Amino acid sequence: MALRTAGRVLVVFLWSVTVVLGQDDWSVSYTTQSICTFKESTVDLSSSYTYPSGYTVTTTFWFTKYNAEGPVSLSDDPDYKGRVMYSKDRENGHTLTITDLRESDSATYKFRFTDQTGKWRYTGEPGVTLSVTGLQVKLTVGFWYNTLTCSTTCTLTDNPTYIWYKNGHKVKEDTSSSYPDSFSDVDSYSCAVKGHEDLRSSAVCQKCWSVTYTHQKICALKGSTVDISCSYTYPSNHEIKKAFWFTKWSDKDAEDLSSVPGYEGHIEYLGDKESDCTLRITDLRLNDSAGYRFRFITSGDKFACSPVSLTVTDLQVKMKTSLFSSWVTLTCSTTCTLTDNPTYIWYRNGHKVKEDTSSLYSDYFRDTDSYSCAVKGHENLHSPAVCVRGQNCWSVTYPHQGVCALKGSTVDISSMYDSGYDTITSTLWFSSKQSSSWKDELVPEDLTTDPGYAGRVEYAGEKERGHSILRITDLREEDSAEYKFIFNTQTSGWGYSFHGTTLTVTGLQVKVTGGHQDKTLTCSTTCTLTDNPTYIWYKNGHKVKEDTSSSHTDSFSNADSYSCAVKGHEDLPAPAVCKKCWSVTYTHQKICALKGSTVNISCSYTYPNVVLEMDPTSVSERENVTLTCKTNCTLDPITVYSWFKNGQPIPNSNTSSPIYILFSVSSEDTGRFSCAVEGHEYLPSAEETLTVRCKYMGFKSLAWYINIVIILYLSPVVF
């Protein structure tokens, strides 16, 4: 018997007497009568059988249940869908493999075989009893210390070694399933069996450190989206400072996935700083297969848990044919057992022919037929089509399942096709989104005849090489749709049940996040742009940065405007984001007009409007005048103001304050005053005129003034 988990194989040799049960030379032998193994692991149950000479065995299978007709093969049991495999490992030897074991798989498994007549049927009794268990930590409270037990519902095979973890850290490895320790209510404990560390028990604690995953193992399709769901706890007197996911360590600490090259825009943390720690990974790639671990840092400590094993698989069609038969048996194969019991869809020459919970499909075929499979809910992630005979058969493939392109740009959508030995009579591209305008909603119509694409669609490629390109220019957001290619021959045509290439058209938008000082700008799109674009950033219309990152951090005032563009498409920038700031917005980025006609290029613009306030505007000599330079938006605190009189800068007058005071003015200060923001002197405020009145003294006042001066002059000086 062999016990297996993802990434490792544990072979257990069972030193037991082979059980042989039978009569009159009909017999079944089992390697062992009982097995205890782990939930979510893989197990092999082996048997061998004998029968009298003169008979031919035609059917062999394992079962646990009966229906009205008799025993039900596990391969036909929906509870085991996609999780069982039969194999012949020696003459008259038969092995049952069950993957992704569940506690509900605990049962007695029996092997059965029949002869060619169907009259002789034999079942090996009593079978093999399989017990599936998880690990559970049980706590026994003592006077001086407490005892923890790594408990199972059955006795594990082969004297396992137990590993203990305290607050996520390995603390002990022993053949005993018990562990005595003195611990506080905030400590958490979990256990695992050596060789199966990825199948760790749930942590046991009271208001303590723990992370619990919904699934320890996940199998998902390449190109799909997966949520790794989990929850976590920590002592109530702690505060979460940081929470993140990682797959490996860097410089003795965990490396946050959000900062790892290749994961940008590919992962999203859906959790919070309370209890939810769900991670979403989109557009899965085969190299995303890894162990994913959640880590959080509090005001007092750090915690990291055991990993969730994610395996990413694509779909492959495997077939069995006979040289002298037109019957084929197909299997929709994966490298792991898909989660959530999928339903499989089968296609022949692009036409949907079957939908079933079984991954197997049998059919009569022509030599030029091709087959493909998909999983329901992920029909756009179908397997590559395979030819039944040779390499020349019907097929249509698309290099890209999805394309994200900029509004106003041009996009090429490609397909490769083959009709085997049949002659193609016509080809076309279409979009089912336009089916409401077709004469017959079941008969696709050529995209070039659609009024909504008039003058914007052309076909390119090399017909002799089976390569077709759909080119759409001046893209609009309403062009977002799925596009498919089909061909017709003299006898039939390629079906359109297959998914084609989904086009998403997006504009650019600048989003601003951050605090009072530094802010983060993101050049946002509604989809992930194809071909890893380079982003260009503009500040007040001037290029300031070029980077592969869509984010830009800067300290700026509300008077600044920011915009972004994609390199190669600089003529398609995002609208500037600002608050009553410097910006120019065009009604159209591109215009096509007739020679000799008149065209209006419409635009609007904003800038920080500067206003000078003067208080008062008319004064007498020796009075003070206050000038205040105001703007219609809040400027940066380090803004410098320039002051002007009669259109000329006032020497040494630049201030960091928007207020400028003219002390004890004289008639020489009469004139026109204005202000501006330094660096933008070409956009000054409107001028305000200051009038300074000379102080007039009447005759009596003048005589009084002269008398006072004379008296003071003639007064004796006393020393």
Side-chain angles (χ1 to χ4, degrees), residues 651-701:
N652 303 317
S653 67
N654 285 10
T655 64
S656 59
S657 169
I659 298 175
Y660 183 65
I661 301 176
L662 300 172
F663 293 99
S664 189
V665 298
S666 66
S667 58
E668 293 181 356
D669 290 320
T670 297
R672 305 181 314 276
F673 288 83
S674 61
C675 67
V677 174
E678 187 179 56
H680 302 286
E681 290 84 356
Y682 53 89
L683 291 171
S685 69
E687 293 181 324
E688 289 287 337
T689 300
L690 174 63
T691 302
V692 180
R693 301 184 303 273
C694 293
K695 274 201 172 183
Y696 171 74
M697 293 184 178
F699 177 79
K700 290 183 179 179
S701 297

Side-chain angles (χ1 to χ4, degrees), residues 1 3 14 19 21 30-38 43-46 62-64 80 96 98 101-111 124-133 153-157:
M1 178 204 69
L3 281 174
L14 298 167
V19 180
L21 299 156
Y30 298 107
T31 306
T32 185
Q33 284 186 277
S34 63
I35 297 173
C36 175
T37 189
F38 291 108
V43 69
D44 288 345
L45 308 182
S46 297
W62 291 74
F63 71 96
T64 63
Y80 293 85
L96 164 67
I98 311 174
L101 283 168
R102 306 162 187 173
E103 291 182 5
S104 58
D105 293 335
S106 296
T108 298
Y109 293 78
K110 300 177 182 180
F111 177 74
E125 296 286 355
V128 178
T129 300
L130 172 66
S131 300
V132 181
T133 181
T153 57
C154 55
T155 303
L156 291 171
T157 310

Side-chain angles (χ1 to χ4, degrees), residues 554-616:
D554 198 2
S555 176
F556 61 92
S557 71
N558 288 335
D560 291 323
S561 72
Y562 282 84
S563 179
C564 63
V566 170
K567 192 171 185 179
H569 298 283
E570 290 85 348
D571 58 331
L572 302 172
V577 62
C578 56
K579 187 176 180 182
K580 297 181 180 178
C581 57
W582 310 94
S583 71
V584 176
T585 304
Y586 298 103
T587 306
H588 300 285
Q589 290 288 347
K590 291 181 178 181
I591 297 175
C592 177
L594 289 174
K595 177 182 177 182
S597 66
T598 299
V599 67
N600 291 330
I601 303 177
S602 302
C603 74
S604 60
Y605 63 97
T606 63
Y607 60 91
N609 188 27
V610 183
V611 177
L612 178 68
E613 290 186 356
M614 180 183 291
D615 184 29

Side-chain angles (χ1 to χ4, degrees), residues 28-167:
V28 173
S29 302
Y30 298 107
T31 306
T32 185
Q33 284 186 277
S34 63
I35 297 173
C36 175
T37 189
F38 291 108
K39 177 183 177 182
E40 297 186 353
S41 67
T42 295
V43 69
D44 288 345
L45 308 182
S46 297
S47 70
S48 61
Y49 58 97
T50 63
Y51 52 93
S53 59
Y55 291 86
T56 301
V57 171
T58 56
T59 305
T60 57
F61 62 92
W62 291 74
F63 71 96
T64 63
K65 305 173 186 175
Y66 294 84
N67 62 15
E69 298 177 359
V72 178
S73 173
L74 289 178
S75 61
D76 297 324
D77 189 330
D79 291 338
Y80 293 85
K81 181 180 62 177
R83 298 191 300 120
V84 298
M85 181 176 67
Y86 296 155
S87 59
K88 252 187 119 175
D89 50 7
R90 60 189 182 278
E91 185 178 1
N92 293 351
H94 201 280
T95 298
L96 164 67
T97 300
I98 311 174
T99 61
D100 190 22
L101 283 168
R102 306 162 187 173
E103 291 182 5
S104 58
D105 293 335
S106 296
T108 298
Y109 293 78
K110 300 177 182 180
F111 177 74
R112 182 175 176 84
F113 63 96
T114 62
D115 75 335
Q116 76 275 19
T117 65
K119 295 179 180 180
W120 288 97
R121 306 177 181 89
Y122 191 84
T123 299
E125 296 286 355
V128 178
T129 300
L130 172 66
S131 300
V132 181
T133 181
L135 296 177
Q136 183 181 6
V137 175
K138 292 187 176 180
L139 172 64
T140 303
V141 180
F143 184 76
W144 293 106
Y145 54 81
N146 300 323
T147 300
L148 301 162
T149 304
C150 196
S151 175
T152 56
T153 57
C154 55
T155 303
L156 291 171
T157 310
D158 202 34
N159 301 319
T161 296
Y162 295 88
I163 301 173
W164 285 96
Y165 301 88
K166 180 177 181 179
N167 299 331

